[in-house]
Amino acid sequence: MSDAGASWIDRFPGLGRLPADIRADLDRGSQIVAVPAGTQVFQPGKSADSLLLLLKGTVRVQQRSETGREVFLYRVHAGESCVLTTACMLAFQDYSADGIAETDVEAAVIPRKTFDDLVARSPVFREFVFTAYARRITDLFSLIDDIVFQRMDVRLASRLLELADDRGVVRATHAVLASELGTAREVISRTLAEFQRRGWIEQARGELRLIGREGLERLVRAA
């Protein structure tokens, strides 16, 4: 890998502290890949043979039930790694969920051989791996707490605020939002209709616009 390519290591604070020899091994043993939007990065039953550290874009991780219903688990953003991939590599287990590139993605790929070697040799690399793992596990427990205890209107309002771009536009169908929140599309449609009645959103095909962000934020804060 070139010196320019090696600069990706510095984009992950935990890796910036690697000793020179370990950093050089990570550089030589990894590569940068580009993945188009819509690509299935991993799927159930496939082995985890490399760790991806995202440099650009997002990957959506979801699980499909026996009835075909999709349940959103989390997103991997630039500057992050995938906790499921980490867990599968550490435990030598196959994937149990899907990973889909939501956007064009650029990532550093660390093959298993390099991953295993650095985990064994480098305390700094181990700390990086397990810190990211612990952070995402905490996020998953928060997701479980939301599903069990939070009202659906509050969860939907919070997710809309999270997904909105700089212009307040959320590009997602009712079905996608239902998958995000682990509920039925009809529930999302009813809740969005109520948000629209209150003047908080406007709906269009495949997207909606936040026109009353303050109302959504009040709903979330009140909960």
Side-chain angles (χ1 to χ4, degrees), residues 122-149:
S122 172
V124 174
F125 188 78
R126 282 199 303 275
E127 179 183 342
F128 168 79
V129 169
F130 285 107
T131 297
Y133 183 81
R135 186 181 301 118
R136 184 61 72 182
I137 288 294
T138 300
D139 291 344
L140 288 175
F141 275 111
S142 178
L143 171 63
I144 294 170
D145 182 74
D146 286 348
I147 292 173
V148 174
F149 299 111

Side-chain angles (χ1 to χ4, degrees), residues 7-13 15 31-35 41-42 50-61 74-83 85-86 95 99-110 128 132 136:
S7 66
W8 72 264
I9 295 175
D10 295 318
R11 297 173 63 176
F12 295 84
L15 297 180
Q31 61 178 321
I32 305 299
V33 300
V35 180
V41 180
F42 54 80
S50 59
L51 180 67
L52 268 65
L53 304 181
L54 259 64
L55 303 174
K56 295 179 182 177
T58 60
V59 173
R60 171 190 171 96
V61 181
Y74 58 89
R75 281 184 175 84
V76 186
H77 299 275
E80 299 177 344
S81 59
C82 174
V83 65
T85 301
T86 303
Y95 284 108
I100 309 295
E102 286 193 310
T103 65
D104 291 342
V105 165
E106 184 177 281
V109 178
I110 305 174
F128 168 79
R136 184 61 72 182

Side-chain angles (χ1 to χ4, degrees), residues 4 30 78-79 85 103 155 169:
S30 61
T85 301
T103 65
R155 294 179 60 213
V169 175

Side-chain angles (χ1 to χ4, degrees), residues 87-101:
C88 290
M89 292 186 71
L90 291 172
F92 292 88
Q93 293 183 339
D94 294 340
Y95 284 108
S96 58
D98 295 288
I100 309 295

Side-chain angles (χ1 to χ4, degrees), residues 18-39:
L18 287 172
D21 59 332
I22 300 294
R23 181 187 177 101
D25 289 342
L26 177 58
D27 178 21
R28 285 192 297 268
S30 61
Q31 61 178 321
I32 305 299
V33 300
V35 180
T39 302

